[in-house]
Amino acid sequence: MRRIAALVLLTLATAAAAAHGATTLVEGIVVRVNDRILTTADMRMRVIERTAETGRAPAPADYPALVNEAVDELCLLERATELKIEVSDDDVSGAIAQLRENNRVADEQTFQAMLQQMGMTLDQLRRRLRETIGINRVLSREVTQTPITEEELRQRYSREEETFKVPEKVRLEHIVFSVAGDGGDEAAVTSEARRLAAAARADGNFLALVDEQVKAGRGSGGDLGILEQGDLRTEVQTAVVGLKAGEISEPFVTVAGVHVVRVAERIPSSVKPFEEVAEELRLRETSDRNRGRLSDVVAGLKQRYVVEVHPEMFTAPQ
């Protein structure tokens, strides 16, 4: 019956617009929780917000999840009203100040640029932050916290040990000889690099030889420090993949010139110790527990409130 009434109102609104010779876009209601509604325009704003947050526009396949999130939020906002939870202007201003600090936004011009990137006005941001603060306060009231024991954290650590794996690292020393723009001297430069590599293998003092070349203006280089294998350029990875600590690569070419690299040290992959990740484990466990309890809270609210969902109204823009 409620759906029929909504369709009748939509039809009447369209007919009225036609009678006045006007072209009017009637926004469909995607979510209703009691008297709170979200229209297609509201949901499209959420798509813009999610894009700014993640750096990726949600695909149409993600829209049902966005609608479900919106239902949960409206239920929690309605509960905030029931609990007479108030969010002051100072609370919102404090949240904006924290947002600016977290994003290192010091001046007003940069802040306005950030708002533009988010696709929001200041008023829209204040409204969303007010809602977020209200929802968080509902959760602190409704979601009971239970202590997390060290044994539970250690069990989780054992299950998720792979996520705390530290990849192999290498400490590299290098030199790069520049090549003419037309590449005409590449063969001669490569021969010079090969002689340096052979000399370094003979006397074992690669950095000293590199320093001589740098001071003579024939190349640049030095100690690159400790790097993760995955952070190395493809050419460098290929050059050092089979080298042991102390070994020197053959010369190889990149856009920067002709390189020679020495593997000064290899640090094997390892797993971060429990003590180092205990706080992260606690946050993960707390988040999972809260998510489960939140689901129960929202499910209860949906039973008490008038909830209507029309996901078919929310489609990808043409």
Side-chain angles (χ1 to χ4, degrees), residues 63-136:
Y63 285 11
L66 287 176
V67 172
N68 289 334
E69 289 177 16
V71 174
D72 292 352
E73 284 187 26
L74 261 58
C75 286
L76 292 168
L77 288 171
E78 190 69 5
R79 181 59 176 155
T81 299
E82 284 185 341
L83 295 172
K84 295 183 171 54
I85 290 175
E86 295 184 358
V87 180
S88 70
D89 290 342
D90 287 345
D91 293 331
V92 177
S93 296
I96 290 176
Q98 187 63 54
L99 178 68
R100 291 179 62 157
E101 181 179 339
N102 292 345
N103 289 277
R104 296 182 175 84
V105 178
D107 60 273
E108 191 62 26
Q109 184 177 357
T110 306
F111 179 55
Q112 292 299 326
M114 186 184 79
L115 286 175
Q116 186 175 11
Q117 183 181 10
M118 294 168 64
M120 303 180 77
T121 65
L122 179 58
D123 286 342
Q124 288 171 329
L125 175 63
R126 291 186 69 89
R127 186 180 71 250
R128 290 294 283 146
L129 287 174
R130 190 181 300 274
E131 292 173 347
T132 300
I133 295 169
I135 287 172
N136 288 337

Side-chain angles (χ1 to χ4, degrees), residues 60-297:
D62 301 322
Y63 285 11
L66 287 176
V67 172
N68 289 334
E69 289 177 16
V71 174
D72 292 352
E73 284 187 26
L74 261 58
C75 286
L76 292 168
L77 288 171
E78 190 69 5
R79 181 59 176 155
T81 299
E82 284 185 341
L83 295 172
K84 295 183 171 54
I85 290 175
E86 295 184 358
V87 180
S88 70
D89 290 342
D90 287 345
D91 293 331
V92 177
S93 296
I96 290 176
Q98 187 63 54
L99 178 68
R100 291 179 62 157
E101 181 179 339
N102 292 345
N103 289 277
R104 296 182 175 84
V105 178
D107 60 273
E108 191 62 26
Q109 184 177 357
T110 306
F111 179 55
Q112 292 299 326
M114 186 184 79
L115 286 175
Q116 186 175 11
Q117 183 181 10
M118 294 168 64
M120 303 180 77
T121 65
L122 179 58
D123 286 342
Q124 288 171 329
L125 175 63
R126 291 186 69 89
R127 186 180 71 250
R128 290 294 283 146
L129 287 174
R130 190 181 300 274
E131 292 173 347
T132 300
I133 295 169
I135 287 172
N136 288 337
R137 290 179 179 176
V138 169
L139 296 180
S140 68
R141 293 271 296 270
E142 301 285 88
V143 178
T144 304
Q145 301 294 332
T146 57
I148 301 172
T149 67
E150 181 176 320
E151 179 58 28
E152 288 172 323
L153 293 182
R154 288 190 177 277
Q155 289 175 2
R156 181 161 192 147
Y157 176 69
S158 179
R159 294 194 305 270
E160 300 178 3
E161 187 176 282
E162 189 67 23
T163 66
F164 297 112
K165 191 171 183 180
V166 179
E168 180 186 6
K169 297 180 180 180
V170 289
R171 184 163 68 82
L172 300 179
E173 301 161 352
H174 85 124
I175 186 169
V176 55
F177 298 93
S178 59
V179 175
D182 62 2
D185 61 347
E186 183 178 305
V189 172
T190 301
S191 295
E192 179 62 29
R194 190 170 288 113
R195 281 193 291 273
L196 180 140
R201 292 188 188 104
D203 71 12
N205 201 336
F206 180 78
L207 280 181
L209 292 172
V210 168
D211 190 51
E212 288 178 9
Q213 296 295 318
V214 171
K215 287 179 178 177
R218 290 192 289 268
S220 61
D223 192 335
L224 287 173
I226 295 175
L227 304 165
E228 288 190 8
Q229 284 278 150
D231 292 338
L232 301 178
R233 291 176 59 102
T234 302
E235 301 94 332
V236 180
Q237 286 191 37
T238 301
V240 305
V241 66
L243 299 182
K244 299 176 182 178
E247 293 185 333
I248 298 170
S249 74
E250 289 299 316
F252 60 96
V253 180
T254 74
V255 292
V258 179
H259 301 251
V260 177
V261 176
R262 176 177 180 269
V263 178
E265 180 183 6
R266 280 197 178 275
I267 304 171
S269 63
S270 60
V271 177
K272 294 180 182 179
F274 170 80
E275 291 73 19
E276 186 176 325
V277 299
E279 188 56 34
E280 182 178 347
L281 287 164
R282 189 178 300 280
L283 290 173
R284 290 186 187 185
E285 183 68 18
T286 300
S287 177
D288 286 352
R289 291 187 183 189
N290 286 348
R291 192 177 297 112
R293 295 187 185 110
L294 172 60
S295 179
D296 293 339
V297 169

